[in-house]
Amino acid sequence: MVRRTRTRTRASRTRTLLARAALPLALVLGAAFPAHAATEGVTGGGVNDFSCRPSAAHPEPVVLLHGTFATWYEDLNFLQLDLAARGYCTFALTYGAYDGFPLAGGLKPVAVSNLEIKEYVEKVRGATGAAQVSVVGHSEGGLQALYLAKMQGIQPHIKAVVAIAPPTHGTNAAGLLDLGDKLIGRETMEKIVTTIGIPVLADEVPGGPAILALNNGPVAQPGIAYTIITSRYDELVTPTGTAFVREPGVKNQYVQDFCPFDPVGHIGEAYDLNVWHMVRNALDPRRATPILVCAVGSPG
């Protein structure tokens, strides 16, 4: 159930507006969703339902990871509902939030939040009886998914990683990081974000602790299927190509490879119907289908 609150951060309000804009579009362009599910013989899945049992069609539960400043119910929540409607058992948590302030997650250092995520993944596996899960993450959530698969010793428990606009190699945030370096210096910036309780921002830049750890040797781990999705118009993870993992076997995809005129930006990628289609294809490549009608996502 979607949690509602009157007190929202600016980022949360933005995501809510985008979600409201995306939902009517989903109802129009996604009219074929139920028919498509029916052709697969899919029964209903679940949203954070630990009594959900994976079907033969979708044997791996899907764990979804939100981005910085977001929560489980404001970021990939509509994608989660879409996957559940297609028969997947889906699960999401708000990670990296501070006690007493659950309205924004993804704030703590990547390594700290990643332990929460690992514990949650194992909880999902234990409850559902699944040998493996697939992990889908957006923005920091994509970075967390890549970090989880490499750093936590649970590679055999992960079937697939689908990372949407992850800052895999760090981001300069459209040049703002470079400007900050010149004005006050990297060390001062890191002290500021740590002091105000957002140390993850120091993790997500080139040379940040999480970026160095992730890129120390191959990112992709044997036995895991990797798909990286981003937009050529992403304005926060820049340069956009830094999201990609250019290693054997990894699928690196721009939204515009399939829908050239989709102007979708960073936050909008979580709600973009074309991205959802790409995620579904990555989770179930045997039943992958082309995007026949491209949606128009939200810039920014």
Side-chain angles (χ1 to χ4, degrees), residues 142-201:
L143 175 63
Q144 292 282 3
L146 294 169
Y147 196 93
L148 177 77
K150 177 173 179 175
M151 306 297 292
Q152 298 300 343
I154 59 172
Q155 291 91 335
H157 301 166
I158 300 176
K159 176 71 172 181
V161 168
V162 185
I164 304 168
T168 307
H169 301 283
T171 173
N172 68 15
L176 291 178
L177 176 64
D178 297 335
L179 179 61
D181 279 348
K182 293 177 181 179
L183 293 177
I184 62 175
R186 178 71 60 87
E187 185 176 349
T188 300
M189 285 194 297
E190 291 178 355
K191 287 180 179 178
I192 291 173
V193 297
T194 300
T195 300
I196 64 177
I198 320 176
V200 70
L201 297 182

Side-chain angles (χ1 to χ4, degrees), residues 46 66 182 249 274 286:
H66 61 77
K182 293 177 181 179
N274 305 320
R286 293 176 304 169

Side-chain angles (χ1 to χ4, degrees), residues 24 92 131 231 240 253 281 289:
S231 171
T240 58
Q253 301 174 336
N281 283 350
T289 59

Side-chain angles (χ1 to χ4, degrees), residues 36 40 251 277 280-282 284-290:
H36 176 69
E40 297 178 355
K251 295 180 180 178
H277 196 129
R280 294 195 301 268
N281 283 350
D284 194 358
R286 293 176 304 169
R287 297 184 178 90
T289 59

Side-chain angles (χ1 to χ4, degrees), residues 127-148:
T128 61
Q132 295 180 303
V133 303
S134 293
V135 186
V136 177
H138 172 232
S139 192
E140 182 194 338
L143 175 63
Q144 292 282 3
L146 294 169
Y147 196 93
L148 177 77

